[in-house]
Amino acid sequence: MALVSTLALSLTSCAKRRNYNLSGAYGYVQCDGTNWSFDVYTFRSQSQNGAYDLVIIPVSIDTPGDIASITIANSNQAYKQLVSQIVLNPEQEISAGTLSAADFNNYPILAITPFDPSTNFVSQNSTKSTFCQIPVPGEGF
């Protein structure tokens, strides 16, 4: 839990809110962890007006076939799990869900953690976890 809190606070600049301008068509960020590395994209949703699709592409996975969970979170330890378990393979695109403007404001952190059915997101402590800011549409390019 300390690891998650520490990383979350550092990623959010001590919990400072970002002011989102969601007028862009897409956003991009490289999300690098110790064992896993991802390209993360947000694209304007074709099916939901005012929403954005979150797409994750594993770039480097130390053990292809690792099983992960995908969660969005904030520095107050609130979170929303988007994908409970997914197999990670390099270059295999993952559609992680659709984000609303409220999701961007409430959960600015993307957490990709090893799947562990015995604990919840806040209680996890894994060196394979990868954390980064969710790319805001219009940023990162």
Side-chain angles (χ1 to χ4, degrees):
M1 184 165 127
L3 174 65
V4 171
S5 297
T6 302
L7 288 171
L9 284 173
S10 68
L11 286 172
T12 58
S13 301
C14 296
K16 182 175 77 172
R17 274 204 195 267
R18 291 164 55 190
N19 186 13
Y20 297 117
N21 175 2
L22 298 177
S23 61
Y26 55 89
Y28 166 77
V29 70
Q30 290 178 320
C31 194
D32 297 323
T34 304
N35 297 90
W36 297 340
S37 181
F38 303 91
D39 285 342
V40 180
Y41 300 87
T42 51
F43 295 99
R44 188 170 286 154
S45 177
Q46 299 296 314
S47 61
Q48 294 183 28
N49 191 24
Y52 288 83
D53 296 326
L54 180 63
V55 176
I56 300 168
I57 300 175
V59 174
S60 173
I61 305 299
D62 68 333
T63 307
D66 278 348
I67 301 174
S69 296
I70 300 170
T71 306
I72 54 177
N74 65 31
S75 61
N76 297 322
Q77 298 182 357
Y79 65 94
K80 180 178 176 182
Q81 188 171 61
L82 299 177
V83 178
S84 105
Q85 56 183 320
I86 187 87
V87 176
L88 301 177
N89 288 302
E91 305 303 322
Q92 186 175 357
E93 184 176 300
I94 299 166
S95 294
T98 302
L99 304 177
S100 67
D103 289 332
F104 279 100
N105 286 321
N106 294 324
Y107 307 106
I109 301 165
L110 174 64
I112 304 170
T113 58
F115 171 69
D116 184 353
S118 67
T119 188
N120 66 29
F121 169 73
V122 175
S123 300
Q124 286 186 347
N125 187 8
S126 173
T127 58
K128 282 193 174 187
S129 296
T130 301
F131 300 91
C132 62
Q133 293 269 348
I134 295 174
V136 175
E139 292 182 345
F141 286 99

